[in-house]
Amino acid sequence: MTIAVTGATGTVGRLVVRRLLAAGRRVRAVTRNPAAEFPPDVEVVIADLDRPESLTPALTGADALFLMSHPPTATAVARQAQRCGTGRIVTLSSIRADTEPPDAAGHRAVERAVESVGVPWTHLRPGMFATNLLTWAPAIRATGIVREPCAAAAQTPIHEADIADVAAAALLDAGHAGRKYPLTGPRALTKTQQLAAIATALGRDLTFQEITPAEWHREQADTVPPFVRDFLLEIWSESTATPESVSDTVAAVTGCPARPLTEWAADHAPDFGGTSR
């Protein structure tokens, strides 16, 4: 069984590659970087989602494809996969896909493109990636103080390893075809609780300092684009009023419960100035 993985050097893709190798499958890692390093058993294919034709060596005869969301060329890539005989496609989408405007060139547009070509599909819809919390790392290393608005915003951060586990299951088993899988962590946690999980992993005191949205806008003006700031504030405002829902998909698909944020924080302790476990 041969499986192609786009975004193979990314947060989720690199873990998917490892899961598939461990399962004894032949893996074609798709990357734009000729210098990217992979385990010796991986077949590296230099290609780019912006050039769908470059994917032909990876897609030809592949039993399955793990597809990163890239709206500009999603239709062309899906058609190329169909022409190359790819057996099924597992997309990395978003838990908010159904709330996007119908004409938006976003995650749902990628899902529709894949659904249109007649290849069996599975859509993975993760919510907040726990890795988003790495934006706190510089402040934690420098001062131990995180300054953000909406301290009570309760989200469901998911470990990237859980997303990779579900992705591998969907790539290996055709029984997941036609499913849209919402993926979350095991609990809705406020920002202060999220920071507490990191503090536990580091074994040190950390402080969450709540500021106003206007203050945060000003402080992030040089690092975060305006539309991203607005989008995040919208999510935080919504999850302050109503905590995000928890999904049991990880456990249902893999047989193991989703990893708690404390485990993610321990895995990433060096990023926050701690030591590896």
Side-chain angles (χ1 to χ4, degrees):
M1 185 179 192
T2 299
I3 300 175
V5 178
T6 63
T9 61
T11 300
V12 176
R14 62 186 175 81
L15 297 179
V16 173
V17 168
R18 295 178 193 172
R19 301 310 191 257
L20 297 175
L21 285 177
R25 301 306 192 265
R26 181 183 180 193
V27 180
R28 294 173 180 166
V30 180
T31 178
R32 294 178 297 179
N33 180 10
E37 295 184 359
F38 295 97
D41 293 338
V42 173
E43 178 185 352
V44 181
V45 179
I46 305 302
D48 192 331
L49 288 173
D50 281 321
R51 296 185 297 110
E53 70 283 355
S54 70
L55 296 168
T56 299
L59 299 176
T60 300
D63 296 278
L65 165 67
F66 181 64
L67 180 62
M68 298 294 294
S69 183
H70 188 62
T73 60
T75 298
V77 169
R79 289 174 177 168
Q80 188 75 353
Q82 190 274 334
R83 284 194 292 268
C84 290
T86 303
R88 60 181 175 276
I89 301 174
V90 175
T91 66
L92 184 60
S93 184
S94 167
I95 204 165
R96 300 173 70 88
D98 283 334
T99 63
E100 295 173 343
D103 59 346
H107 293 94
R108 183 62 188 131
V110 174
E111 292 180 353
R112 286 196 297 267
V114 170
E115 293 165 13
S116 73
V117 298
V119 176
W121 53 265
T122 305
H123 301 319
L124 308 186
R125 292 178 161 186
M128 174 190 171
F129 279 48
T131 51
N132 290 357
L133 296 175
L134 293 175
T135 59
W136 291 353
I140 288 173
R141 290 195 301 266
T143 67
I145 300 173
V146 172
R147 290 169 48 84
E148 277 193 356
C150 306
Q155 294 185 264
T156 55
I158 183 170
H159 198 308
E160 63 272 17
D162 286 325
I163 302 172
D165 288 345
V166 175
L171 290 162
L172 294 169
D173 185 349
H176 298 283
R179 303 297 298 274
K180 299 175 183 178
Y181 284 140
L183 303 175
T184 73
R187 290 182 58 200
L189 302 171
T190 65
K191 288 188 180 184
T192 52
Q193 290 172 324
Q194 294 167 27
L195 186 61
I198 297 171
T200 297
L202 298 179
R204 56 179 287 212
D205 292 333
L206 301 174
T207 301
F208 190 93
Q209 189 175 100
E210 186 167 20
I211 60 177
T212 68
E215 287 177 295
W216 183 74
H217 256 289
R218 289 195 298 272
E219 291 184 5
Q220 299 298 319
D222 294 333
T223 56
V224 182
F227 77 93
V228 175
R229 278 178 267 152
D230 290 340
F231 178 66
L232 289 174
L233 285 171
E234 178 184 353
I235 292 175
W236 295 339
S237 177
E238 290 176 358
S239 58
T240 297
T242 305
E244 292 181 346
S245 298
V246 173
S247 164
D248 66 352
T249 306
V250 172
V253 172
T254 69
C256 297
R259 295 166 171 85
L261 188 61
T262 49
E263 181 172 340
W264 176 88
D267 290 340
H268 288 269
D271 296 311
F272 297 100
T275 58
S276 300
R277 61 176 180 176

